[in-house]
């Protein structure tokens, strides 16, 4: 799937397509935007970030993520997405 390929290209993370869970999709003027979630145990040293697409990566708790959003320390589109489906992500984590 495209999501599996993009995850591998941008982060170096290998997954099975069947492990992806669609949590949100929307049709914009010029494209579809599908958002998936996957659970996989990895460390920062496992990441191979694609310089053209990814600036930085780090692991944060849900509480830290809320604080980063409130202080605008995250890309605005990510803050907007968190507002839309953050509750789905939290529920996914609780059900693991």
């Amino acid at each position: 799937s495209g999501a599996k390929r993009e995850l591998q290209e941008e982060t170096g993370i290998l997954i099975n397509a069947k492990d992806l869970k669609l949590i949100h999709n929307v049709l914009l003027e010029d494209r579809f935007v599908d958002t998936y979630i996957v659970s996989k145990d990895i460390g920062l040293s496992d990441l191979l970030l694609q310089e053209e697409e990814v600036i930085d990566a780090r692991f944060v708790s849900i509480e830290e993520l809320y604080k980063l959003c409130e202080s605008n320390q995250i890309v605005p589109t990510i803050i907007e997405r968190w507002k839309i489906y953050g509750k789905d992500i939290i529920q996914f984590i609780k059900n693991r």
Side-chain angles (χ1 to χ4, degrees), residues 38-93:
V38 66
S39 177
K40 183 170 177 119
D41 290 327
I42 60 166
L44 285 177
S45 62
D46 297 320
L47 300 179
L48 299 170
L49 303 181
Q50 184 182 29
E51 290 181 26
E52 300 84 13
E53 297 285 336
V54 182
I55 295 170
D56 197 7
R58 71 179 185 182
F59 293 111
V60 297
S61 68
I62 297 297
E63 294 77 21
E64 289 172 302
L65 183 56
Y66 276 115
K67 289 178 185 175
L68 291 168
C69 289
E70 289 172 3
S71 61
N72 292 315
Q73 294 183 36
I74 295 180
V75 177
T77 54
I78 300 300
I79 294 172
E80 289 305 312
R81 291 177 187 171
W82 178 250
K83 289 177 185 175
I84 294 169
Y85 47 75
K87 289 179 183 169
D88 294 325
I89 293 171
I90 292 169
Q91 190 62 43
F92 179 84
I93 292 167

